[in-house]
Amino acid sequence: MRVTQSMLANNALRNISAGYANLGQLQDRLASGKKFTRASQDPVVAMNGMRYRTQVTEVAQFKRNLSEMYNFMESSDSALGEVNQALQRIRELTVQASNDTYNENDRKNIIQEIKQLNEHISSIGNTKVNDKYLFNGTNTISKPIDLSKLPNYINRPEFVDVTQTELPIEFQQFGDLEVGQLFSGVTLEAEQLAAQFNLDDVTELEGKIVRIGPFEGGETIDLPLGQATEGVYQFQLTAAQLAFAQENEIQVQVLDEEEYDALAPLDPDSPFVNNVGSLDVEVPQNLTVSINAATLEAARGAQVSVMIPGQGPLELTYDEETNSFVANVFRGYDPEAIQTATVEVNGQVVESRFEFELTDVANPTDYFVTVQLNGTEHRFVYDEESGKYVNEKPVYASLEEIQNAPREVELIPSASPVSSNKENIEIELLKGVTISNNIRPQSVLSAELFKNIQDITNELESMMGDMETASSGKEISRYLDKLDVHINNVLTERANLGARINRVEMIENRVLEQEIIAKRILSENEDADMEKVIIDLQTQESVHRAAMAVGARVIQPSLLDFLR
């Protein structure tokens, strides 16, 4: 095969072009310091790099979380230290005040200082860091302590009595009648009928037929007299029949069975033959019985029965629109009997509701009663209508069990001087490792703490009136034990906080080590070997220059080159 000059020229051009490409890649590596600038150049290394970079990003976020954690914890530790100092000072003042050698002015000064220390402790409890409250759990935007509500806690009502009332069953009398709906209770008195029609000598009503009519279209109702119960006859009338009977004259016949069998169908245009009297239409009281599903703590599918004394059970069905269990009563039930009936849910009797009576307070809706029964807490809230505290849900217990069960009067969260938020702020410091960075206010800054401090000042003020007749300092010194409890609570929480800080420090060391490892692995995966890149670049430049020189000799100048 003969190699021509054009073939040599093409090969030279290809070599020069490849040299440019290699030079470009090496120059990119030198400029960026990376092994590649596009994922397509090395997909496997690129995918590994994405995972390694994610790990580096996580470590960076953990470092930011650690900074936030230290900020909260160190601020909390400082605040607890100040609370401890304030409580220690209050204890010192209490010891001094219990000394009967102190005069009235001395105790006035002590009272003023204790009040200021109380305010100082309150302000510490409302400490904010980065515009977030330290001692209010997850609710960092609301102030945890409000001493203006302290009287609510101090002046809580006391128990007076607990009584049992009937389960509330709502009922209403029917109004307008609907066509097609059956109503029981149109009655005939058998004794009155016999007397009215000179049937006093009739001792046996068996075999007699009573016919009532004619209704619209000549329709009649026939019923054997032998079906009378205690002299009272009950008939089923539709609403249309009842309306027709109330507007028109309806007659009554009493027939023997032989006459009844021979009697032809009634002609609506002819009078009602063999009349023995007129029908006195009487509509009994018809009721709708309704019990709220929430009151029963029952839902659709539950079997709800009202056990009416002397009349048996009344089954109720669930109504989705009203969220109630409802039954329509058409047989003249006594409303009072229904109101005093017992209720069963799935065969279990629902006890009557309970009413706690407490001493009078200015704001009764700020309180509720809790009762512990078989490990379950039942809550009783204020009912404005009765002025007592009633259970929100049914309580399956007797009055004696309620009276003997542990019970407390508590404040609703919004009326308490100290926040009831018990949710911890959890911060993730390592993957799957979370630590809470907050102190619950109920642990160290409880309402009982502020109450005890208020009690100390009140006790001192009560001794100011007559120092000669005032009792000894025992009334004041008895608060020392209570203050010791609160001081110990602060120390315990501070120790717990210190233990968490120690663990955070260990986690920080681990995070820093992970950061070094993650960055090293990422560097090994992506960073270029700069010494090798420089040598390769110099080598490629030499090759490129040689290729250019060879190309210049192979590609001879043409006429166009001379014409330029």
Side-chain angles (χ1 to χ4, degrees):
M1 179 179 178
R2 188 168 61 90
V3 179
T4 64
Q5 184 177 4
S6 62
M7 293 174 62
L8 292 173
N10 289 334
N11 288 334
L13 290 174
R14 281 195 294 271
N15 291 333
I16 294 171
S17 177
Y20 277 127
N22 292 334
L23 281 173
Q25 290 182 2
L26 292 171
Q27 288 171 349
D28 287 342
R29 292 178 186 176
L30 185 63
S32 63
K34 301 295 182 182
K35 293 179 180 178
F36 54 87
T37 56
R38 294 188 301 273
S40 59
Q41 294 173 347
D42 195 337
V44 175
V45 175
M47 288 298 298
N48 290 335
M50 292 175 63
R51 288 194 293 268
Y52 299 149
R53 190 170 285 103
T54 299
Q55 184 178 359
V56 172
T57 303
E58 286 181 351
V59 171
Q61 181 60 52
F62 291 149
K63 289 178 66 178
R64 289 192 290 269
N65 291 353
L66 283 165
S67 177
E68 180 75 8
M69 177 70 77
Y70 277 125
N71 193 10
F72 254 71
M73 282 188 160
E74 291 175 358
S75 299
S76 299
D77 184 64
S78 175
L80 290 179
E82 293 183 27
V83 171
N84 183 55
Q85 290 178 4
L87 289 177
Q88 292 288 359
R89 178 56 182 166
I90 291 176
R91 192 182 190 285
E92 292 175 6
L93 294 172
T94 304
V95 172
Q96 294 176 15
S98 64
N99 190 340
D100 290 333
T101 61
Y102 273 60
N103 57 34
E104 184 173 347
N105 290 331
D106 294 334
R107 282 177 171 154
K108 280 184 179 180
N109 295 332
I110 290 175
I111 290 173
Q112 293 302 319
E113 186 172 355
I114 290 178
K115 287 182 177 180
Q116 291 300 317
L117 289 169
N118 191 36
E119 292 289 339
H120 179 60
I121 294 174
S122 172
S123 65
I124 294 173
N126 292 328
T127 300
K128 298 178 74 174
V129 174
N130 290 340
D131 205 31
K132 298 176 183 178
Y133 285 101
L134 279 179
F135 297 102
N136 202 13
T138 53
N139 186 11
T140 58
I141 62 174
S142 299
K143 186 167 62 172
I145 297 176
D146 185 359
L147 291 185
S148 66
K149 298 178 181 179
L150 186 59
N152 288 347
Y153 183 82
I154 296 177
N155 302 319
R156 281 182 293 179
E158 297 179 354
F159 292 102
V160 175
D161 191 18
V162 56
T163 56
Q164 193 174 16
T165 62
E166 304 299 334
L167 183 75
I169 303 177
E170 298 179 0
F171 61 90
Q172 59 184 18
Q173 187 169 351
F174 264 54
D176 298 334
L177 302 177
E178 297 181 3
V179 176
Q181 190 168 7
L182 293 178
F183 290 86
S184 302
V186 179
T187 61
L188 286 174
E189 295 288 347
E191 293 181 358
Q192 292 178 3
L193 182 63
Q196 183 178 352
F197 303 117
N198 299 320
L199 297 177
D200 301 286
D201 56 341
V202 178
T203 58
E204 182 61 51
L205 295 179
E206 292 290 342
K208 301 291 184 180
I209 301 294
V210 61
R211 167 171 284 188
I212 305 172
F215 296 98
E216 187 174 10
E219 181 185 9
T220 62
I221 293 178
D222 301 328
L223 191 72
L225 286 178
Q227 293 186 9
T229 303
E230 297 181 358
V232 177
Y233 294 91
Q234 291 187 339
F235 301 90
Q236 296 285 342
L237 293 183
T238 65
Q241 291 172 338
L242 184 58
F244 188 87
Q246 292 172 331
E247 295 176 0
N248 300 275
E249 185 177 2
I250 302 300
Q251 303 298 322
V252 178
Q253 294 175 305
V254 177
L255 307 171
D256 292 327
E257 289 184 354
E258 295 79 6
E259 297 175 349
Y260 176 76
D261 292 337
L263 188 64
L266 185 66
D267 182 1
D269 297 328
S270 64
F272 198 64
V273 295
N274 299 328
N275 294 338
V276 293
S278 60
L279 175 65
D280 181 18
V281 178
E282 177 186 353
V283 182
Q285 188 177 37
N286 303 294
L287 305 174
T288 294
V289 177
S290 175
I291 306 179
N292 190 280
T295 303
L296 291 177
E297 201 178 8
R300 174 174 37 190
Q303 296 179 351
V304 179
S305 303
V306 177
M307 313 302 292
I308 304 175
Q311 297 180 345
L314 177 65
E315 301 293 333
L316 277 65
T317 57
Y318 182 72
D319 184 358
E320 292 186 357
E321 293 185 1
T322 61
N323 189 32
S324 301
F325 289 89
V326 181
N328 294 325
V329 183
F330 305 121
R331 300 187 181 278
Y333 283 101
D334 182 5
E336 293 184 2
I338 296 176
Q339 190 67 48
T340 58
T342 59
V343 179
E344 290 187 358
V345 177
N346 297 328
Q348 186 175 11
V349 177
V350 180
E351 298 290 344
S352 303
R353 77 173 185 176
F354 299 91
E355 295 182 342
F356 279 95
E357 183 179 355
L358 306 181
T359 54
D360 293 335
V361 290
N363 44 355
T365 57
D366 287 346
Y367 305 94
F368 62 91
V369 177
T370 59
V371 177
Q372 301 291 336
L373 286 172
N374 300 322
T376 302
E377 180 181 280
H378 296 271
R379 180 171 295 191
F380 297 76
V381 297
Y382 184 72
D383 179 32
E384 293 185 358
E385 184 176 349
S386 64
K388 298 180 180 181
Y389 294 82
V390 302
N391 46 304
E392 296 178 306
K393 298 179 180 179
V395 179
Y396 299 99
S398 65
L399 178 60
E400 183 179 1
E401 290 174 322
I402 291 289
Q403 291 172 332
N404 296 330
R407 57 195 185 187
E408 295 289 341
V409 178
E410 298 184 12
L411 276 168
I412 63 174
S414 60
S416 176
V418 177
S419 171
S420 60
N421 191 318
K422 296 182 180 180
E423 298 293 331
N424 291 324
I425 302 176
E426 301 287 343
I427 296 182
E428 188 176 23
L429 302 181
L430 277 176
K431 201 161 189 178
V433 178
T434 59
I435 296 180
S436 60
N437 70 346
N438 63 298
I439 299 292
R440 295 180 180 178
Q442 305 85 5
S443 302
V444 292
L445 302 171
S446 63
E448 190 66 20
L449 166 64
F450 295 106
K451 175 183 180 298
N452 292 153
I453 296 175
Q454 182 70 44
D455 290 341
I456 293 173
T457 57
N458 291 342
E459 193 75 39
L460 288 173
E461 289 175 350
S462 66
M463 297 172 64
M464 302 289 290
D466 189 352
M467 297 297 296
E468 294 182 358
T469 59
S471 58
S472 64
K474 291 183 179 180
E475 286 77 6
I476 300 300
S477 60
R478 61 192 175 93
Y479 289 102
L480 294 176
D481 292 338
K482 296 181 180 180
L483 287 174
D484 288 339
V485 171
H486 297 302
I487 292 172
N488 288 334
N489 289 339
V490 174
L491 295 176
T492 300
E493 284 299 321
R494 197 173 184 188
N496 178 275
L497 180 62
R500 280 183 283 161
I501 291 176
N502 290 338
R503 187 183 177 192
V504 170
E505 290 176 350
M506 290 188 289
I507 291 176
E508 182 184 23
N509 294 333
R510 186 178 174 187
V511 168
L512 294 177
E513 291 176 358
Q514 286 189 346
E515 181 183 27
I516 295 173
I517 295 172
K519 288 184 177 181
R520 178 175 57 80
I521 294 176
L522 179 64
S523 175
E524 291 175 354
N525 182 72
E526 295 183 356
D527 292 350
D529 186 349
M530 300 305 294
E531 293 83 355
K532 185 176 183 301
V533 171
I534 292 172
I535 294 173
D536 290 344
L537 180 61
Q538 291 175 347
T539 302
Q540 190 62 43
E541 287 177 347
S542 300
V543 173
H544 181 65
R545 284 194 296 269
M548 291 287 291
V550 172
R553 289 179 177 274
V554 173
I555 303 173
Q556 297 296 326
S558 65
L559 178 61
L560 293 176
D561 294 323
F562 291 105
L563 293 177
R564 289 181 190 156

